[in-house]
Amino acid sequence: MAEKLEEYNNSNVSQLLFEKKRIETLINNMSDPVLGLDEDKKVIFINQEALKILNMNEGECINNFISNLSLKNDLFKLLADSIDIEETIIEPKKQPIKIFANNKESYFEKEVLHISILPTGEEETRIVGHVIILRNVTEYKEVDFAKTNFIATISHELKTPIASIKMSLQLLNNNRIGNLNEDQTQLLASIKDDANRLLKITGELLNITQIESGNIQLSIMPVDPDELINYAINAIKTQADNKEIRFEINRPEVISMIHADNEKTAWVITNLLSNAVRYSHENSVVYITLKEENEQVLISVRDSGMGIAPEYKDKIFNRYFRVPGTRKEGSGLGLSISKEFIEAQGGEISIESEIGNGSIFTVKLNVV
Ligand code: ADP
């Protein structure tokens, strides 16, 4: 009997050991770095890929608290910080982590799984450990980088010939070069429209490449909100005149200066006015309102155009998104660039709209 029990015991232990070995081999052969912690945040397993990028050996890590390891290794510190988020779900995706290992730069997307179980007889789940997986996204990042570079170069190269087309158009319009008949003048006007549209798109693409490469260069200084609005109205004047749209400004007697990047904020306000004009009916009014509230200046642009349905309100700030059925030409980039520019300055951009009743876009920026 004792002999049989011993045999049974041994077979169970050896089966468990075999299973353990199998899981260890599996984790070790994964091409992505993986490490596991127990409920006290002590390292219980770590694979070769993780050791490689951490530049440590297994003995130094196993059974050691992640808080201790963080003191000697910056990458461990970055991983430790992500576990402290008291969540039992997968952490939302963030910017990839850049790591310099094996003489090259690599990018990893971090995923933290908080493992919980429901112990037998109990009603509440309990966290029993955490698994950190670093997904190597270097290859995608490199392709993305090449694409961003390509777009930046092309849009930059296109700017010069488009500017020269615009200059030639101006010369052709000059009576000293010769008089044009009505048909020719109309043709010239439509070439001018197309050239302006091309210039707008190349400008937007250049902005987006700046954002994608994380290169938004801000030059923050005290800016007069009135000047921003005057600049934007001037830039859109011809477009508004063509549709017989006028601007009406409502402002308090005094308004504070704001902390902003002049050029980028002027770009945003111009883009909002341009949208208000493009998506409004002819012969209407676009209202621009300035307000000051809680140490912030609010600049609102209200049109009486077609409005935006509730299901699209969140999406219109996404890159390349255009409300289905939008007939006007456009790239779907203007609002996403505006959001990035305003948020980079610590501000906010929002929309209120009712279908058929126009839209109000509001930019909030901090006062000086
Ligand atoms: P674009 O206008 O170049 O397409 P935007 O990013 O500026 O790009 O706008 C995204 C989409 O949001 C537009 O295609 C349009 O469908 C919608 N939109 C933007 N502004 C307005 C507005 N004032 N009224 C109605 N729809 C708008």
Side-chain angles (χ1 to χ4, degrees), residues 278-279 306-309 311-312 316 320-330 355:
R278 279 160 64 225
Y279 298 112
M306 72 249 299
I308 292 165
E311 64 266 35
Y312 300 125
I316 54 163
Y320 305 106
F321 181 82
R322 311 196 69 216
V323 172
T326 303
R327 280 200 297 272
K328 302 274 175 228
E329 297 86 353
I355 196 93

PDB file of all heavy atoms in Angstrom, residues 278-279 306-309 311-312 316 320-330 355:
ATOM      1  N   ARG A 278     -16.899  76.878 -45.444  1.00  0.00           N
ATOM      2  CA  ARG A 278     -17.106  75.803 -46.427  1.00  0.00           C
ATOM      3  C   ARG A 278     -18.378  75.015 -46.173  1.00  0.00           C
ATOM      4  O   ARG A 278     -19.069  74.613 -47.097  1.00  0.00           O
ATOM      5  CB  ARG A 278     -15.907  74.850 -46.415  1.00  0.00           C
ATOM      6  CG  ARG A 278     -14.760  75.388 -47.235  1.00  0.00           C
ATOM      7  CD  ARG A 278     -13.456  74.747 -46.860  1.00  0.00           C
ATOM      8  NE  ARG A 278     -13.416  73.342 -47.137  1.00  0.00           N
ATOM      9  CZ  ARG A 278     -12.944  72.436 -46.276  1.00  0.00           C
ATOM     10  NH1 ARG A 278     -12.514  72.795 -45.076  1.00  0.00           N
ATOM     11  NH2 ARG A 278     -12.904  71.173 -46.590  1.00  0.00           N
ATOM     12  N   TYR A 279     -18.692  74.790 -44.881  1.00  0.00           N
ATOM     13  CA  TYR A 279     -19.850  73.942 -44.580  1.00  0.00           C
ATOM     14  C   TYR A 279     -21.115  74.750 -44.265  1.00  0.00           C
ATOM     15  O   TYR A 279     -22.073  74.218 -43.725  1.00  0.00           O
ATOM     16  CB  TYR A 279     -19.501  72.967 -43.437  1.00  0.00           C
ATOM     17  CG  TYR A 279     -18.371  72.031 -43.828  1.00  0.00           C
ATOM     18  CD1 TYR A 279     -17.123  72.110 -43.214  1.00  0.00           C
ATOM     19  CD2 TYR A 279     -18.544  71.101 -44.844  1.00  0.00           C
ATOM     20  CE1 TYR A 279     -16.076  71.282 -43.598  1.00  0.00           C
ATOM     21  CE2 TYR A 279     -17.512  70.267 -45.232  1.00  0.00           C
ATOM     22  CZ  TYR A 279     -16.277  70.362 -44.605  1.00  0.00           C
ATOM     23  OH  TYR A 279     -15.254  69.528 -45.004  1.00  0.00           O
ATOM     24  N   MET A 306     -24.875  72.761 -42.070  1.00  0.00           N
ATOM     25  CA  MET A 306     -25.626  71.508 -41.986  1.00  0.00           C
ATOM     26  C   MET A 306     -25.498  70.803 -40.618  1.00  0.00           C
ATOM     27  O   MET A 306     -26.297  69.930 -40.314  1.00  0.00           O
ATOM     28  CB  MET A 306     -25.168  70.558 -43.096  1.00  0.00           C
ATOM     29  CG  MET A 306     -23.794  69.992 -42.877  1.00  0.00           C
ATOM     30  SD  MET A 306     -22.477  70.515 -43.955  1.00  0.00           S
ATOM     31  CE  MET A 306     -22.898  70.061 -45.551  1.00  0.00           C
ATOM     32  N   GLY A 307     -24.522  71.202 -39.805  1.00  0.00           N
ATOM     33  CA  GLY A 307     -24.350  70.565 -38.492  1.00  0.00           C
ATOM     34  C   GLY A 307     -23.746  69.177 -38.616  1.00  0.00           C
ATOM     35  O   GLY A 307     -23.502  68.678 -39.718  1.00  0.00           O
ATOM     36  N   ILE A 308     -23.504  68.566 -37.461  1.00  0.00           N
ATOM     37  CA  ILE A 308     -22.851  67.245 -37.449  1.00  0.00           C
ATOM     38  C   ILE A 308     -23.682  66.306 -36.568  1.00  0.00           C
ATOM     39  O   ILE A 308     -24.033  66.656 -35.441  1.00  0.00           O
ATOM     40  CB  ILE A 308     -21.407  67.380 -36.904  1.00  0.00           C
ATOM     41  CG1 ILE A 308     -20.568  68.172 -37.922  1.00  0.00           C
ATOM     42  CG2 ILE A 308     -20.761  66.024 -36.650  1.00  0.00           C
ATOM     43  CD1 ILE A 308     -19.276  68.672 -37.386  1.00  0.00           C
ATOM     44  N   ALA A 309     -24.010  65.127 -37.086  1.00  0.00           N
ATOM     45  CA  ALA A 309     -24.838  64.172 -36.333  1.00  0.00           C
ATOM     46  C   ALA A 309     -24.093  63.693 -35.090  1.00  0.00           C
ATOM     47  O   ALA A 309     -22.860  63.580 -35.120  1.00  0.00           O
ATOM     48  CB  ALA A 309     -25.184  62.997 -37.236  1.00  0.00           C
ATOM     49  N   GLU A 311     -23.478  60.908 -33.689  1.00  0.00           N
ATOM     50  CA  GLU A 311     -22.572  59.738 -33.777  1.00  0.00           C
ATOM     51  C   GLU A 311     -21.209  60.081 -34.373  1.00  0.00           C
ATOM     52  O   GLU A 311     -20.267  59.301 -34.278  1.00  0.00           O
ATOM     53  CB  GLU A 311     -23.232  58.575 -34.537  1.00  0.00           C
ATOM     54  CG  GLU A 311     -23.549  58.821 -35.999  1.00  0.00           C
ATOM     55  CD  GLU A 311     -24.976  59.307 -36.221  1.00  0.00           C
ATOM     56  OE1 GLU A 311     -25.493  60.047 -35.367  1.00  0.00           O
ATOM     57  OE2 GLU A 311     -25.552  58.959 -37.265  1.00  0.00           O
ATOM     58  N   TYR A 312     -21.089  61.263 -35.014  1.00  0.00           N
ATOM     59  CA  TYR A 312     -19.798  61.617 -35.619  1.00  0.00           C
ATOM     60  C   TYR A 312     -19.013  62.633 -34.794  1.00  0.00           C
ATOM     61  O   TYR A 312     -17.888  62.948 -35.128  1.00  0.00           O
ATOM     62  CB  TYR A 312     -20.005  62.169 -37.033  1.00  0.00           C
ATOM     63  CG  TYR A 312     -20.681  61.189 -37.956  1.00  0.00           C
ATOM     64  CD1 TYR A 312     -21.835  61.527 -38.646  1.00  0.00           C
ATOM     65  CD2 TYR A 312     -20.161  59.905 -38.117  1.00  0.00           C
ATOM     66  CE1 TYR A 312     -22.463  60.615 -39.481  1.00  0.00           C
ATOM     67  CE2 TYR A 312     -20.786  58.989 -38.940  1.00  0.00           C
ATOM     68  CZ  TYR A 312     -21.934  59.346 -39.610  1.00  0.00           C
ATOM     69  OH  TYR A 312     -22.538  58.449 -40.431  1.00  0.00           O
ATOM     70  N   ILE A 316     -14.874  63.292 -35.577  1.00  0.00           N
ATOM     71  CA  ILE A 316     -14.363  64.305 -36.510  1.00  0.00           C
ATOM     72  C   ILE A 316     -12.964  64.807 -36.152  1.00  0.00           C
ATOM     73  O   ILE A 316     -12.313  65.422 -36.965  1.00  0.00           O
ATOM     74  CB  ILE A 316     -15.323  65.509 -36.666  1.00  0.00           C
ATOM     75  CG1 ILE A 316     -15.648  66.085 -35.319  1.00  0.00           C
ATOM     76  CG2 ILE A 316     -16.562  65.156 -37.449  1.00  0.00           C
ATOM     77  CD1 ILE A 316     -16.223  67.461 -35.451  1.00  0.00           C
ATOM     78  N   TYR A 320      -7.969  61.893 -40.939  1.00  0.00           N
ATOM     79  CA  TYR A 320      -8.567  61.485 -42.213  1.00  0.00           C
ATOM     80  C   TYR A 320     -10.069  61.212 -42.135  1.00  0.00           C
ATOM     81  O   TYR A 320     -10.655  60.716 -43.089  1.00  0.00           O
ATOM     82  CB  TYR A 320      -7.860  60.239 -42.813  1.00  0.00           C
ATOM     83  CG  TYR A 320      -6.377  60.420 -42.986  1.00  0.00           C
ATOM     84  CD1 TYR A 320      -5.474  59.794 -42.132  1.00  0.00           C
ATOM     85  CD2 TYR A 320      -5.878  61.244 -43.984  1.00  0.00           C
ATOM     86  CE1 TYR A 320      -4.109  59.987 -42.266  1.00  0.00           C
ATOM     87  CE2 TYR A 320      -4.512  61.433 -44.125  1.00  0.00           C
ATOM     88  CZ  TYR A 320      -3.633  60.806 -43.264  1.00  0.00           C
ATOM     89  OH  TYR A 320      -2.292  60.988 -43.403  1.00  0.00           O
ATOM     90  N   PHE A 321     -10.712  61.511 -40.986  1.00  0.00           N
ATOM     91  CA  PHE A 321     -12.154  61.238 -40.907  1.00  0.00           C
ATOM     92  C   PHE A 321     -12.953  62.368 -41.542  1.00  0.00           C
ATOM     93  O   PHE A 321     -12.715  63.545 -41.266  1.00  0.00           O
ATOM     94  CB  PHE A 321     -12.616  61.044 -39.458  1.00  0.00           C
ATOM     95  CG  PHE A 321     -14.099  60.743 -39.383  1.00  0.00           C
ATOM     96  CD1 PHE A 321     -14.568  59.463 -39.598  1.00  0.00           C
ATOM     97  CD2 PHE A 321     -15.020  61.767 -39.163  1.00  0.00           C
ATOM     98  CE1 PHE A 321     -15.929  59.189 -39.595  1.00  0.00           C
ATOM     99  CE2 PHE A 321     -16.389  61.503 -39.152  1.00  0.00           C
ATOM    100  CZ  PHE A 321     -16.837  60.206 -39.364  1.00  0.00           C
ATOM    101  N   ARG A 322     -13.909  62.009 -42.372  1.00  0.00           N
ATOM    102  CA  ARG A 322     -14.836  62.985 -42.950  1.00  0.00           C
ATOM    103  C   ARG A 322     -16.235  62.418 -42.768  1.00  0.00           C
ATOM    104  O   ARG A 322     -16.444  61.209 -42.923  1.00  0.00           O
ATOM    105  CB  ARG A 322     -14.552  63.202 -44.439  1.00  0.00           C
ATOM    106  CG  ARG A 322     -13.061  63.463 -44.722  1.00  0.00           C
ATOM    107  CD  ARG A 322     -12.854  64.041 -46.099  1.00  0.00           C
ATOM    108  NE  ARG A 322     -13.380  65.389 -46.135  1.00  0.00           N
ATOM    109  CZ  ARG A 322     -13.980  65.917 -47.186  1.00  0.00           C
ATOM    110  NH1 ARG A 322     -14.169  65.198 -48.256  1.00  0.00           N
ATOM    111  NH2 ARG A 322     -14.415  67.152 -47.146  1.00  0.00           N
ATOM    112  N   VAL A 323     -17.190  63.256 -42.411  1.00  0.00           N
ATOM    113  CA  VAL A 323     -18.547  62.770 -42.211  1.00  0.00           C
ATOM    114  C   VAL A 323     -19.025  62.158 -43.533  1.00  0.00           C
ATOM    115  O   VAL A 323     -18.877  62.792 -44.586  1.00  0.00           O
ATOM    116  CB  VAL A 323     -19.471  63.932 -41.770  1.00  0.00           C
ATOM    117  CG1 VAL A 323     -20.922  63.490 -41.743  1.00  0.00           C
ATOM    118  CG2 VAL A 323     -19.028  64.476 -40.419  1.00  0.00           C
ATOM    119  N   PRO A 324     -19.541  60.910 -43.496  1.00  0.00           N
ATOM    120  CA  PRO A 324     -19.954  60.280 -44.750  1.00  0.00           C
ATOM    121  C   PRO A 324     -20.927  61.177 -45.506  1.00  0.00           C
ATOM    122  O   PRO A 324     -21.830  61.766 -44.915  1.00  0.00           O
ATOM    123  CB  PRO A 324     -20.651  58.993 -44.283  1.00  0.00           C
ATOM    124  CG  PRO A 324     -20.089  58.731 -42.922  1.00  0.00           C
ATOM    125  CD  PRO A 324     -19.763  60.058 -42.328  1.00  0.00           C
ATOM    126  N   GLY A 325     -20.697  61.300 -46.796  1.00  0.00           N
ATOM    127  CA  GLY A 325     -21.593  62.107 -47.624  1.00  0.00           C
ATOM    128  C   GLY A 325     -21.134  63.553 -47.764  1.00  0.00           C
ATOM    129  O   GLY A 325     -21.756  64.314 -48.496  1.00  0.00           O
ATOM    130  N   THR A 326     -20.022  63.929 -47.065  1.00  0.00           N
ATOM    131  CA  THR A 326     -19.521  65.305 -47.189  1.00  0.00           C
ATOM    132  C   THR A 326     -19.102  65.547 -48.641  1.00  0.00           C
ATOM    133  O   THR A 326     -18.280  64.795 -49.175  1.00  0.00           O
ATOM    134  CB  THR A 326     -18.303  65.529 -46.254  1.00  0.00           C
ATOM    135  OG1 THR A 326     -18.716  65.222 -44.943  1.00  0.00           O
ATOM    136  CG2 THR A 326     -17.809  66.963 -46.306  1.00  0.00           C
ATOM    137  N   ARG A 327     -19.706  66.580 -49.250  1.00  0.00           N
ATOM    138  CA  ARG A 327     -19.431  66.790 -50.684  1.00  0.00           C
ATOM    139  C   ARG A 327     -18.245  67.722 -50.927  1.00  0.00           C
ATOM    140  O   ARG A 327     -17.563  67.630 -51.920  1.00  0.00           O
ATOM    141  CB  ARG A 327     -20.678  67.297 -51.381  1.00  0.00           C
ATOM    142  CG  ARG A 327     -21.663  66.166 -51.695  1.00  0.00           C
ATOM    143  CD  ARG A 327     -22.622  66.567 -52.786  1.00  0.00           C
ATOM    144  NE  ARG A 327     -23.444  67.685 -52.373  1.00  0.00           N
ATOM    145  CZ  ARG A 327     -24.592  67.555 -51.718  1.00  0.00           C
ATOM    146  NH1 ARG A 327     -25.031  66.354 -51.431  1.00  0.00           N
ATOM    147  NH2 ARG A 327     -25.294  68.603 -51.364  1.00  0.00           N
ATOM    148  N   LYS A 328     -18.008  68.669 -49.992  1.00  0.00           N
ATOM    149  CA  LYS A 328     -16.904  69.625 -50.205  1.00  0.00           C
ATOM    150  C   LYS A 328     -15.568  68.880 -50.216  1.00  0.00           C
ATOM    151  O   LYS A 328     -15.418  67.870 -49.527  1.00  0.00           O
ATOM    152  CB  LYS A 328     -16.855  70.644 -49.063  1.00  0.00           C
ATOM    153  CG  LYS A 328     -18.133  71.420 -48.893  1.00  0.00           C
ATOM    154  CD  LYS A 328     -18.155  72.613 -49.806  1.00  0.00           C
ATOM    155  CE  LYS A 328     -19.475  73.317 -49.729  1.00  0.00           C
ATOM    156  NZ  LYS A 328     -20.094  73.646 -50.951  1.00  0.00           N
ATOM    157  N   GLU A 329     -14.602  69.453 -50.983  1.00  0.00           N
ATOM    158  CA  GLU A 329     -13.280  68.820 -50.999  1.00  0.00           C
ATOM    159  C   GLU A 329     -12.611  69.006 -49.631  1.00  0.00           C
ATOM    160  O   GLU A 329     -12.859  70.004 -48.967  1.00  0.00           O
ATOM    161  CB  GLU A 329     -12.355  69.447 -52.040  1.00  0.00           C
ATOM    162  CG  GLU A 329     -12.786  69.321 -53.465  1.00  0.00           C
ATOM    163  CD  GLU A 329     -13.731  70.437 -53.880  1.00  0.00           C
ATOM    164  OE1 GLU A 329     -14.132  71.221 -52.999  1.00  0.00           O
ATOM    165  OE2 GLU A 329     -14.068  70.475 -55.068  1.00  0.00           O
ATOM    166  N   GLY A 330     -11.768  68.079 -49.283  1.00  0.00           N
ATOM    167  CA  GLY A 330     -11.038  68.209 -48.021  1.00  0.00           C
ATOM    168  C   GLY A 330     -10.278  66.937 -47.736  1.00  0.00           C
ATOM    169  O   GLY A 330     -10.501  65.913 -48.383  1.00  0.00           O
ATOM    170  N   ILE A 355     -27.818  68.527 -35.858  1.00  0.00           N
ATOM    171  CA  ILE A 355     -27.950  68.355 -37.304  1.00  0.00           C
ATOM    172  C   ILE A 355     -28.993  69.346 -37.854  1.00  0.00           C
ATOM    173  O   ILE A 355     -30.046  69.535 -37.269  1.00  0.00           O
ATOM    174  CB  ILE A 355     -28.259  66.861 -37.645  1.00  0.00           C
ATOM    175  CG1 ILE A 355     -28.026  66.587 -39.107  1.00  0.00           C
ATOM    176  CG2 ILE A 355     -29.622  66.389 -37.228  1.00  0.00           C
ATOM    177  CD1 ILE A 355     -26.652  66.092 -39.361  1.00  0.00           C
TER     178      ILE A 355
END
